[in-house]
Amino acid sequence: MTEITAPITQDVHTIPRKLPDGPVNLIGLTRPQMRDALIAAGTPEKQAKMRVNQLWQWLYHWGVRDFAAMTNLAKDYRAMLAATFVIEVPQVVTRQVSTDGTRKYLVRIAGGHEVEVVYIPEEDRGTLCISSQVGCTLTCSFCHTGTQKLVRNLTPAEIVGQILIARDDLGQWPEPGQGTGENGPRLLSNIVLMGMGEPLYNFEHVRDAMKIAMDGEGIALSRRRITLSTSGVVPEIARTAQEIGCQLAVSFHATTDEVRDRLVPINKKWNIEALLAALRDYPKVSNSERITFEYVMLDGVNDTDADAHRLVRLIEGIPAKINLIPFNEWPGAPYKRSSGNRIHAFADIIYKAGYASPVRKPRGEDIMAACGQLKSETERVRRVRKGEGV
Ligand code: SAH
Ligand code: SF4
Protein backbone atom coordinates (compact mmCIF):
# COMPACT_ATOMS: atom_id res chain seq x y z
CA MET A 1 0.00 0.00 0.00
CA THR A 2 1.33 3.47 -0.83
CA GLU A 3 1.90 5.81 2.05
CA ILE A 4 1.40 9.40 1.05
CA THR A 5 2.99 12.05 3.19
CA ALA A 6 3.71 14.97 0.88
CA PRO A 7 1.63 18.14 1.16
CA ILE A 8 -1.72 18.67 -0.48
CA THR A 9 -2.35 21.56 -2.80
CA GLN A 10 -5.72 23.15 -2.59
CA ASP A 11 -7.26 26.03 -4.51
CA VAL A 12 -10.39 27.57 -3.16
CA HIS A 13 -12.52 29.69 -5.46
CA THR A 14 -15.55 31.60 -4.39
CA ILE A 15 -18.16 31.54 -7.07
CA PRO A 16 -21.58 33.16 -6.90
CA ARG A 17 -24.41 30.67 -6.80
CA LYS A 18 -26.92 30.56 -9.65
CA LEU A 19 -30.54 29.81 -8.94
CA PRO A 20 -32.31 26.84 -10.53
CA ASP A 21 -35.20 28.69 -12.14
CA GLY A 22 -34.77 30.83 -15.22
CA PRO A 23 -33.74 29.96 -18.75
CA VAL A 24 -33.39 26.36 -19.96
CA ASN A 25 -29.99 24.77 -19.69
CA LEU A 26 -28.85 23.17 -22.94
CA ILE A 27 -26.45 20.91 -21.10
CA GLY A 28 -28.07 17.62 -20.15
CA LEU A 29 -30.75 17.64 -22.85
CA THR A 30 -30.83 14.56 -25.05
CA ARG A 31 -30.83 15.18 -28.81
CA PRO A 32 -34.64 14.83 -29.09
CA GLN A 33 -35.13 17.11 -26.07
CA MET A 34 -32.80 19.71 -27.53
CA ARG A 35 -34.63 19.56 -30.83
CA ASP A 36 -37.98 20.11 -29.10
CA ALA A 37 -36.55 23.00 -27.09
CA LEU A 38 -35.16 24.69 -30.20
CA ILE A 39 -38.46 24.32 -32.02
CA ALA A 40 -40.31 25.73 -29.01
CA ALA A 41 -37.93 28.70 -29.17
CA GLY A 42 -38.87 29.37 -32.80
CA THR A 43 -36.39 27.29 -34.81
CA PRO A 44 -38.14 26.05 -37.99
CA GLU A 45 -38.73 22.30 -37.77
CA LYS A 46 -36.84 21.67 -40.99
CA GLN A 47 -33.70 23.24 -39.56
CA ALA A 48 -33.94 21.78 -36.07
CA LYS A 49 -31.90 18.63 -36.64
CA MET A 50 -29.05 20.56 -38.19
CA ARG A 51 -29.09 23.12 -35.37
CA VAL A 52 -28.94 20.32 -32.79
CA ASN A 53 -25.92 18.87 -34.61
CA GLN A 54 -24.17 22.23 -34.63
CA LEU A 55 -24.90 22.98 -31.00
CA TRP A 56 -23.98 19.46 -29.93
CA GLN A 57 -20.54 19.81 -31.46
CA TRP A 58 -19.95 23.17 -29.81
CA LEU A 59 -21.02 21.91 -26.42
CA TYR A 60 -19.62 18.41 -26.33
CA HIS A 61 -16.86 18.30 -28.93
CA TRP A 62 -15.30 21.74 -28.45
CA GLY A 63 -16.37 22.43 -24.88
CA VAL A 64 -17.67 25.91 -25.77
CA ARG A 65 -19.86 27.64 -23.13
CA ASP A 66 -20.47 30.92 -24.90
CA PHE A 67 -23.04 31.35 -27.67
CA ALA A 68 -20.99 34.18 -29.14
CA ALA A 69 -18.20 31.71 -29.98
CA MET A 70 -20.50 29.52 -32.11
CA THR A 71 -19.34 31.03 -35.34
CA ASN A 72 -21.21 28.79 -37.77
CA LEU A 73 -24.53 30.13 -36.47
CA ALA A 74 -26.01 33.41 -37.71
CA LYS A 75 -25.66 36.34 -35.34
CA ASP A 76 -29.38 36.77 -34.77
CA TYR A 77 -29.80 33.04 -34.11
CA ARG A 78 -27.02 33.24 -31.52
CA ALA A 79 -28.79 36.20 -29.94
CA MET A 80 -32.03 34.20 -29.77
CA LEU A 81 -30.19 31.29 -28.14
CA ALA A 82 -28.55 33.56 -25.60
CA ALA A 83 -31.91 35.09 -24.71
CA THR A 84 -33.62 31.74 -24.24
CA PHE A 85 -31.01 29.26 -23.08
CA VAL A 86 -28.02 28.95 -20.82
CA ILE A 87 -25.02 26.63 -20.90
CA GLU A 88 -24.47 25.75 -17.29
CA VAL A 89 -22.22 23.24 -15.58
CA PRO A 90 -21.76 22.71 -11.83
CA GLN A 91 -19.41 25.17 -10.20
CA VAL A 92 -16.08 23.98 -8.90
CA VAL A 93 -15.72 25.15 -5.31
CA THR A 94 -12.47 23.41 -4.38
CA ARG A 95 -9.97 21.35 -6.24
CA GLN A 96 -7.44 19.15 -4.47
CA VAL A 97 -4.57 17.32 -6.08
CA SER A 98 -3.06 14.29 -4.34
CA THR A 99 0.64 13.51 -4.49
CA ASP A 100 -0.27 10.52 -6.66
CA GLY A 101 -2.02 12.76 -9.19
CA THR A 102 -5.58 11.94 -8.08
CA ARG A 103 -7.77 15.03 -8.26
CA LYS A 104 -10.84 15.65 -6.15
CA TYR A 105 -13.31 18.37 -7.03
CA LEU A 106 -15.99 19.66 -4.76
CA VAL A 107 -18.72 20.99 -7.00
CA ARG A 108 -21.74 23.06 -6.13
CA ILE A 109 -25.10 22.43 -7.74
CA ALA A 110 -28.39 24.31 -7.68
CA GLY A 111 -29.79 24.74 -4.21
CA GLY A 112 -26.29 25.09 -2.77
CA HIS A 113 -25.73 21.33 -2.46
CA GLU A 114 -22.31 19.91 -3.04
CA VAL A 115 -21.03 16.65 -4.46
CA GLU A 116 -17.58 15.29 -5.05
CA VAL A 117 -15.96 14.09 -8.24
CA VAL A 118 -12.68 12.19 -8.29
CA TYR A 119 -10.25 11.84 -11.20
CA ILE A 120 -7.79 8.94 -11.02
CA PRO A 121 -4.93 8.95 -13.53
CA GLU A 122 -3.32 5.63 -14.42
CA GLU A 123 -0.63 4.76 -16.91
CA ASP A 124 -2.92 3.78 -19.74
CA ARG A 125 -6.12 5.56 -18.80
CA GLY A 126 -7.78 8.21 -16.65
CA THR A 127 -10.92 7.34 -14.75
CA LEU A 128 -13.48 9.82 -13.51
CA CYS A 129 -15.61 8.72 -10.57
CA ILE A 130 -18.90 10.61 -10.68
CA SER A 131 -21.90 10.93 -8.38
CA SER A 132 -25.56 10.35 -9.20
CA GLN A 133 -27.29 11.63 -6.06
CA VAL A 134 -26.64 13.99 -3.18
CA GLY A 135 -26.50 11.48 -0.34
CA CYS A 136 -28.20 8.09 -0.70
CA THR A 137 -31.50 6.52 0.38
CA LEU A 138 -29.74 3.27 1.18
CA THR A 139 -27.91 2.64 4.40
CA CYS A 140 -25.05 0.26 3.74
CA SER A 141 -23.40 0.00 7.14
CA PHE A 142 -19.79 0.36 5.91
CA CYS A 143 -20.42 3.36 3.63
CA HIS A 144 -20.10 6.91 4.79
CA THR A 145 -22.47 8.18 2.12
CA GLY A 146 -25.02 5.77 3.63
CA THR A 147 -24.96 7.72 6.87
CA GLN A 148 -26.10 10.82 5.00
CA LYS A 149 -29.74 11.24 4.05
CA LEU A 150 -30.72 11.54 0.41
CA VAL A 151 -30.98 15.20 -0.44
CA ARG A 152 -31.95 14.83 -4.06
CA ASN A 153 -31.28 13.17 -7.38
CA LEU A 154 -28.82 14.90 -9.66
CA THR A 155 -30.18 16.16 -12.98
CA PRO A 156 -28.70 14.93 -16.29
CA ALA A 157 -26.98 18.32 -16.59
CA GLU A 158 -25.36 17.88 -13.20
CA ILE A 159 -24.23 14.36 -14.03
CA VAL A 160 -22.80 15.13 -17.47
CA GLY A 161 -21.54 18.44 -16.08
CA GLN A 162 -19.17 16.54 -13.79
CA ILE A 163 -17.48 15.16 -16.90
CA LEU A 164 -17.33 18.59 -18.52
CA ILE A 165 -15.71 20.30 -15.57
CA ALA A 166 -13.12 17.53 -15.26
CA ARG A 167 -12.29 17.96 -18.94
CA ASP A 168 -12.00 21.71 -18.40
CA ASP A 169 -9.54 21.14 -15.59
CA LEU A 170 -7.55 18.54 -17.51
CA GLY A 171 -7.44 20.76 -20.59
CA GLN A 172 -9.05 17.98 -22.57
CA TRP A 173 -10.86 19.93 -25.27
CA PRO A 174 -9.47 19.67 -28.77
CA GLU A 175 -7.76 22.49 -30.58
CA PRO A 176 -9.32 23.37 -33.94
CA GLY A 177 -8.46 20.70 -36.47
CA GLN A 178 -7.82 18.07 -33.83
CA GLY A 179 -10.14 15.15 -33.08
CA THR A 180 -11.08 14.07 -29.57
CA GLY A 181 -10.57 10.45 -30.57
CA GLU A 182 -7.24 9.05 -31.69
CA ASN A 183 -5.54 12.39 -32.18
CA GLY A 184 -6.79 14.31 -29.22
CA PRO A 185 -5.66 13.98 -25.62
CA ARG A 186 -7.28 11.08 -23.76
CA LEU A 187 -6.66 12.03 -20.17
CA LEU A 188 -10.21 11.20 -19.24
CA SER A 189 -10.90 7.85 -20.88
CA ASN A 190 -13.22 6.03 -18.46
CA ILE A 191 -16.20 6.85 -16.28
CA VAL A 192 -17.28 4.98 -13.17
CA LEU A 193 -20.58 5.73 -11.48
CA MET A 194 -19.12 4.96 -8.08
CA GLY A 195 -19.36 8.30 -6.32
CA MET A 196 -22.23 9.30 -4.08
CA GLY A 197 -25.62 7.74 -4.51
CA GLU A 198 -27.33 4.72 -6.03
CA PRO A 199 -27.42 5.29 -9.81
CA LEU A 200 -30.30 2.88 -10.38
CA TYR A 201 -32.51 4.94 -8.07
CA ASN A 202 -31.97 7.85 -10.47
CA PHE A 203 -32.28 5.73 -13.58
CA GLU A 204 -33.62 8.13 -16.23
CA HIS A 205 -31.24 10.95 -15.38
CA VAL A 206 -28.23 8.64 -15.28
CA ARG A 207 -29.30 7.04 -18.57
CA ASP A 208 -29.72 10.36 -20.36
CA ALA A 209 -26.40 11.67 -19.06
CA MET A 210 -24.57 8.51 -20.14
CA LYS A 211 -26.20 8.65 -23.58
CA ILE A 212 -24.77 12.15 -23.93
CA ALA A 213 -21.34 10.95 -22.79
CA MET A 214 -21.46 8.08 -25.33
CA ASP A 215 -22.63 10.18 -28.30
CA GLY A 216 -20.01 9.86 -31.03
CA GLU A 217 -20.23 13.54 -32.02
CA GLY A 218 -19.16 14.77 -28.61
CA ILE A 219 -17.54 13.26 -25.55
CA ALA A 220 -17.65 9.96 -27.43
CA LEU A 221 -16.84 7.53 -24.64
CA SER A 222 -17.54 3.95 -25.64
CA ARG A 223 -20.09 2.11 -23.50
CA ARG A 224 -17.26 -0.27 -22.68
CA ARG A 225 -15.50 2.54 -20.87
CA ILE A 226 -18.44 3.38 -18.62
CA THR A 227 -19.11 1.29 -15.52
CA LEU A 228 -22.21 1.68 -13.41
CA SER A 229 -22.03 0.35 -9.87
CA THR A 230 -25.22 -0.71 -8.13
CA SER A 231 -25.91 -2.06 -4.69
CA GLY A 232 -28.37 -4.47 -6.34
CA VAL A 233 -31.57 -2.73 -7.50
CA VAL A 234 -32.73 -5.89 -9.21
CA PRO A 235 -35.71 -4.57 -11.23
CA GLU A 236 -33.53 -1.95 -12.94
CA ILE A 237 -30.69 -4.27 -13.95
CA ALA A 238 -32.27 -5.54 -17.17
CA ARG A 239 -33.17 -1.97 -18.11
CA THR A 240 -29.58 -0.93 -17.57
CA ALA A 241 -28.52 -3.54 -20.12
CA GLN A 242 -31.19 -2.54 -22.61
CA GLU A 243 -31.27 1.24 -22.25
CA ILE A 244 -27.67 2.12 -21.35
CA GLY A 245 -25.61 -0.93 -22.28
CA CYS A 246 -22.64 0.10 -20.17
CA GLN A 247 -20.52 -2.19 -18.03
CA LEU A 248 -22.00 -3.26 -14.73
CA ALA A 249 -20.41 -3.52 -11.31
CA VAL A 250 -22.33 -4.83 -8.35
CA SER A 251 -21.63 -4.22 -4.68
CA PHE A 252 -21.74 -7.84 -3.64
CA HIS A 253 -19.74 -7.72 -0.39
CA ALA A 254 -21.06 -10.89 1.27
CA THR A 255 -21.70 -14.55 0.52
CA THR A 256 -24.63 -15.27 2.82
CA ASP A 257 -27.93 -13.42 3.05
CA GLU A 258 -27.43 -13.08 6.79
CA VAL A 259 -24.22 -11.04 6.36
CA ARG A 260 -25.38 -9.21 3.24
CA ASP A 261 -28.57 -8.11 5.01
CA ARG A 262 -26.35 -6.34 7.53
CA LEU A 263 -23.88 -4.84 5.07
CA VAL A 264 -26.13 -3.98 2.13
CA PRO A 265 -29.67 -3.77 3.55
CA ILE A 266 -31.27 -3.67 0.09
CA ASN A 267 -30.53 -7.42 0.25
CA LYS A 268 -33.63 -7.80 2.43
CA LYS A 269 -35.67 -6.73 -0.57
CA TRP A 270 -33.70 -8.52 -3.29
CA ASN A 271 -31.54 -11.26 -1.85
CA ILE A 272 -28.43 -12.91 -3.25
CA GLU A 273 -30.41 -15.43 -5.27
CA ALA A 274 -32.59 -12.76 -6.89
CA LEU A 275 -29.56 -10.60 -7.59
CA LEU A 276 -27.60 -13.42 -9.22
CA ALA A 277 -30.57 -14.34 -11.39
CA ALA A 278 -30.70 -10.75 -12.72
CA LEU A 279 -26.95 -10.72 -13.30
CA ARG A 280 -26.88 -13.92 -15.31
CA ASP A 281 -28.60 -12.23 -18.25
CA TYR A 282 -26.77 -8.94 -18.13
CA PRO A 283 -23.69 -9.65 -20.27
CA LYS A 284 -25.78 -11.24 -23.03
CA VAL A 285 -28.26 -8.41 -23.23
CA SER A 286 -25.81 -5.53 -22.97
CA ASN A 287 -22.97 -7.14 -24.92
CA SER A 288 -20.71 -6.30 -22.02
CA GLU A 289 -17.75 -8.50 -21.33
CA ARG A 290 -17.85 -9.31 -17.66
CA ILE A 291 -19.62 -8.16 -14.55
CA THR A 292 -17.44 -6.73 -11.83
CA PHE A 293 -18.24 -8.06 -8.38
CA GLU A 294 -17.11 -5.49 -5.85
CA TYR A 295 -16.20 -6.96 -2.50
CA VAL A 296 -15.17 -4.73 0.39
CA MET A 297 -12.77 -6.50 2.74
CA LEU A 298 -13.99 -6.11 6.32
CA ASP A 299 -11.92 -7.64 9.09
CA GLY A 300 -13.67 -10.66 10.64
CA VAL A 301 -16.96 -9.96 8.84
CA ASN A 302 -16.78 -11.30 5.28
CA ASP A 303 -13.13 -12.16 4.70
CA THR A 304 -12.64 -15.87 5.56
CA ASP A 305 -11.41 -18.58 3.21
CA ALA A 306 -14.90 -20.08 3.44
CA ASP A 307 -16.32 -16.78 2.12
CA ALA A 308 -13.92 -16.84 -0.81
CA HIS A 309 -14.91 -20.41 -1.71
CA ARG A 310 -18.62 -19.59 -1.36
CA LEU A 311 -18.20 -16.52 -3.55
CA VAL A 312 -16.64 -18.59 -6.31
CA ARG A 313 -19.47 -21.13 -6.10
CA LEU A 314 -22.18 -18.47 -6.15
CA ILE A 315 -20.99 -16.70 -9.27
CA GLU A 316 -20.29 -19.86 -11.22
CA GLY A 317 -21.31 -19.44 -14.85
CA ILE A 318 -21.37 -15.64 -14.78
CA PRO A 319 -18.60 -13.96 -16.79
CA ALA A 320 -17.08 -12.04 -13.90
CA LYS A 321 -14.14 -10.30 -12.36
CA ILE A 322 -13.91 -9.73 -8.67
CA ASN A 323 -12.66 -6.43 -7.41
CA LEU A 324 -11.49 -6.63 -3.80
CA ILE A 325 -11.68 -3.25 -2.09
CA PRO A 326 -9.70 -2.82 1.13
CA PHE A 327 -12.20 -1.10 3.43
CA ASN A 328 -11.66 2.66 3.52
CA GLU A 329 -12.06 3.55 7.15
CA TRP A 330 -13.87 6.72 8.12
CA PRO A 331 -14.21 8.32 11.54
CA GLY A 332 -16.73 6.35 13.59
CA ALA A 333 -16.96 3.45 11.13
CA PRO A 334 -18.08 0.20 12.78
CA TYR A 335 -15.58 -1.94 10.82
CA LYS A 336 -11.85 -2.38 10.31
CA ARG A 337 -9.96 -3.11 7.11
CA SER A 338 -8.87 -6.75 6.69
CA SER A 339 -5.13 -7.28 6.99
CA GLY A 340 -3.01 -7.32 3.85
CA ASN A 341 -2.28 -11.03 4.37
CA ARG A 342 -5.96 -11.86 4.67
CA ILE A 343 -6.81 -9.92 1.52
CA HIS A 344 -4.09 -11.71 -0.41
CA ALA A 345 -5.13 -15.15 0.85
CA PHE A 346 -8.72 -14.35 -0.21
CA ALA A 347 -7.55 -13.07 -3.60
CA ASP A 348 -5.50 -16.19 -4.11
CA ILE A 349 -8.48 -18.51 -3.70
CA ILE A 350 -10.43 -16.52 -6.25
CA TYR A 351 -7.52 -16.37 -8.65
CA LYS A 352 -6.98 -20.12 -8.45
CA ALA A 353 -10.65 -20.62 -9.28
CA GLY A 354 -9.95 -18.85 -12.57
CA TYR A 355 -11.14 -15.29 -11.90
CA ALA A 356 -9.23 -12.06 -12.15
CA SER A 357 -9.14 -10.73 -8.59
CA PRO A 358 -7.45 -7.33 -8.58
CA VAL A 359 -7.15 -5.67 -5.20
CA ARG A 360 -8.13 -2.02 -5.60
CA LYS A 361 -5.13 0.16 -4.90
CA PRO A 362 -5.96 2.99 -2.56
CA ARG A 363 -5.58 6.25 -4.47
CA GLY A 364 -5.73 9.83 -3.31
CA GLU A 365 -5.68 8.81 0.35
CA ASP A 366 -4.15 12.12 1.41
CA ILE A 367 -7.20 13.95 0.05
CA MET A 368 -9.82 11.42 1.24
CA ALA A 369 -10.76 10.64 -2.33
CA ALA A 370 -11.56 6.96 -1.77
CA CYS A 371 -14.83 5.11 -2.30
CA GLY A 372 -17.32 5.54 0.47
CA GLN A 373 -15.49 8.49 1.96
CA LEU A 374 -16.81 11.14 -0.34
CA LYS A 375 -18.17 14.22 1.34
CA SER A 376 -17.11 13.22 4.83
CA GLU A 377 -13.84 15.12 4.83
CA THR A 378 -15.46 18.07 3.15
CA GLU A 379 -18.02 18.28 5.91
CA ARG A 380 -15.30 18.02 8.49
CA VAL A 381 -13.24 20.79 6.86
CA ARG A 382 -16.29 23.00 6.70
CA ARG A 383 -16.96 22.51 10.40
CA VAL A 384 -13.36 23.39 11.12
CA ARG A 385 -13.62 26.50 8.95
CA LYS A 386 -16.71 27.54 10.83
CA GLY A 387 -14.78 27.05 14.06
CA GLU A 388 -16.98 24.18 15.25
CA GLY A 389 -14.11 21.73 15.70
CA VAL A 390 -13.89 18.25 14.25
N1 SAH B 1 -24.29 3.13 -4.69
C1 SAH B 1 -23.53 2.39 -5.59
C2 SAH B 1 -22.31 3.13 -6.14
C3 SAH B 1 -21.51 3.97 -5.19
S1 SAH B 1 -20.42 3.21 -4.06
C4 SAH B 1 -23.11 1.08 -4.98
O1 SAH B 1 -23.32 0.89 -3.81
O2 SAH B 1 -22.63 0.23 -5.71
C5 SAH B 1 -19.04 2.56 -4.99
C6 SAH B 1 -18.41 1.33 -4.32
O3 SAH B 1 -17.71 1.68 -3.11
C7 SAH B 1 -19.45 0.30 -3.89
O4 SAH B 1 -19.03 -1.00 -4.19
C8 SAH B 1 -19.52 0.51 -2.40
O5 SAH B 1 -20.04 -0.60 -1.76
C9 SAH B 1 -18.07 0.80 -2.08
N2 SAH B 1 -17.84 1.43 -0.78
C10 SAH B 1 -18.67 2.24 -0.09
N3 SAH B 1 -18.09 2.62 1.08
C11 SAH B 1 -16.87 2.04 1.12
C12 SAH B 1 -15.80 2.07 2.05
N4 SAH B 1 -15.87 2.79 3.16
N5 SAH B 1 -14.69 1.36 1.75
C13 SAH B 1 -14.59 0.66 0.60
N6 SAH B 1 -15.58 0.61 -0.32
C14 SAH B 1 -16.70 1.28 -0.07
FE1 SF4 C 1 -25.61 4.11 -1.11
FE2 SF4 C 1 -23.77 2.66 -2.48
FE3 SF4 C 1 -23.16 3.76 -0.10
FE4 SF4 C 1 -24.84 1.69 -0.22
S1 SF4 C 1 -22.64 1.68 -0.80
S2 SF4 C 1 -25.14 3.57 1.02
S3 SF4 C 1 -25.93 2.13 -2.10
S4 SF4 C 1 -23.68 4.87 -1.97
Side-chain angles (χ1 to χ4, degrees):
M1 197 176 309
T2 359
E3 279 293 326
I4 298 161
T5 46
I8 304 165
T9 57
Q10 177 163 2
D11 310 329
V12 180
H13 318 278
T14 313
I15 302 157
R17 192 191 305 162
K18 288 206 184 115
L19 294 169
D21 43 342
V24 175
N25 190 4
L26 284 181
I27 301 290
L29 299 183
T30 59
R31 281 180 182 266
Q33 287 167 342
M34 197 184 285
R35 181 175 180 278
D36 290 349
L38 293 181
I39 292 170
T43 305
E45 279 200 33
K46 274 201 286 189
Q47 286 178 16
K49 193 173 170 205
M50 182 180 69
R51 298 289 173 237
V52 170
N53 282 339
Q54 290 170 316
L55 276 165
W56 198 273
Q57 286 210 346
W58 286 119
L59 298 176
Y60 297 117
H61 178 82
W62 301 107
V64 162
R65 306 276 153 74
D66 180 3
F67 292 111
M70 301 181 177
T71 44
N72 59 352
L73 299 174
K75 264 209 175 124
D76 55 346
Y77 193 69
R78 280 185 255 162
M80 181 286 285
L81 290 172
T84 321
F85 299 104
V86 289
I87 302 168
E88 228 169 57
V89 297
Q91 297 161 338
V92 179
V93 182
T94 64
R95 168 185 176 276
Q96 289 172 275
V97 183
S98 159
T99 47
D100 70 7
T102 301
R103 299 181 185 203
K104 183 167 85 171
Y105 311 98
L106 176 68
V107 301
R108 185 176 295 150
I109 56 170
H113 308 300
E114 287 163 352
V115 289
E116 286 178 341
V117 187
V118 176
Y119 170 74
I120 307 151
E122 285 169 279
E123 244 162 59
D124 57 339
R125 65 171 76 182
T127 303
L128 191 71
C129 177
I130 61 176
S131 296
S132 55
Q133 299 182 310
V134 187
C136 188
T137 46
L138 301 172
T139 53
C140 302
S141 51
F142 56 90
C143 172
H144 195 267
T145 306
T147 65
Q148 300 159 16
K149 283 216 176 78
L150 176 75
V151 179
R152 70 170 169 84
N153 282 339
L154 298 188
T155 63
E158 290 160 349
I159 299 169
V160 85
Q162 295 172 57
I163 305 172
L164 301 181
I165 56 147
R167 288 185 58 153
D168 291 349
D169 188 50
L170 295 165
Q172 203 190 337
W173 295 110
E175 296 295 326
Q178 190 186 40
T180 40
E182 322 73 61
N183 314 322
R186 266 332 234 177
L187 294 167
L188 199 171
S189 62
N190 292 63
I191 302 279
V192 292
L193 279 146
M194 292 186 186
M196 293 172 70
E198 169 48 61
L200 296 189
Y201 276 151
N202 187 14
F203 186 88
E204 283 81 9
H205 291 179
V206 166
R207 177 197 57 203
D208 290 353
M210 291 307 105
K211 289 277 180 211
I212 294 170
M214 288 188 258
D215 190 295
E217 297 285 302
I219 302 167
L221 284 173
S222 136
R223 58 182 187 78
R224 295 191 183 282
R225 291 180 174 274
I226 298 177
T227 304
L228 182 153
S229 173
T230 179
S231 59
V233 184
V234 165
E236 304 290 353
I237 287 178
R239 256 183 107 193
T240 307
Q242 288 150 3
E243 297 180 33
I244 310 177
C246 59
Q247 308 299 301
L248 189 72
V250 59
S251 295
F252 208 64
H253 304 325
T255 60
T256 64
D257 281 325
E258 190 264 320
V259 177
R260 197 161 189 271
D261 280 353
R262 272 193 284 137
L263 299 181
V264 190
I266 200 175
N267 194 68
K268 293 181 199 154
K269 211 162 179 181
W270 296 292
N271 67 10
I272 291 179
E273 198 189 336
L275 177 58
L276 290 171
L279 296 178
R280 283 187 197 282
D281 286 334
Y282 191 89
K284 282 198 289 281
V285 181
S286 68
N287 252 329
S288 76
E289 289 142 7
R290 285 178 293 175
I291 292 184
T292 302
F293 285 77
E294 296 165 283
Y295 199 95
V296 62
M297 296 298 292
L298 302 171
D299 184 32
V301 177
N302 62 355
D303 62 350
T304 63
D305 285 357
D307 281 303
H309 289 296
R310 252 195 313 269
L311 179 58
V312 168
R313 273 201 306 276
L314 283 170
I315 66 172
E316 207 188 325
I318 302 178
K321 55 188 162 196
I322 296 160
N323 195 341
L324 301 178
I325 317 174
F327 175 54
N328 292 308
E329 296 180 10
W330 37 273
Y335 303 107
K336 292 258 162 289
R337 178 185 289 189
S338 306
S339 72
N341 283 345
R342 184 84 298 270
I343 296 175
H344 285 109
F346 197 99
D348 203 45
I349 294 172
I350 288 163
Y351 180 73
K352 291 209 171 101
Y355 292 97
S357 57
V359 177
R360 196 177 290 175
K361 252 204 302 227
R363 297 288 306 264
E365 282 193 309
D366 53 345
I367 55 171
M368 293 275 286
C371 282
Q373 291 181 330
L374 298 188
K375 190 116 190 261
S376 54
E377 175 71 353
T378 309
E379 287 190 340
R380 193 179 68 80
V381 169
R382 189 166 311 118
R383 284 202 296 276
V384 172
R385 265 196 230 130
K386 280 197 205 148
E388 292 170 14
V390 186

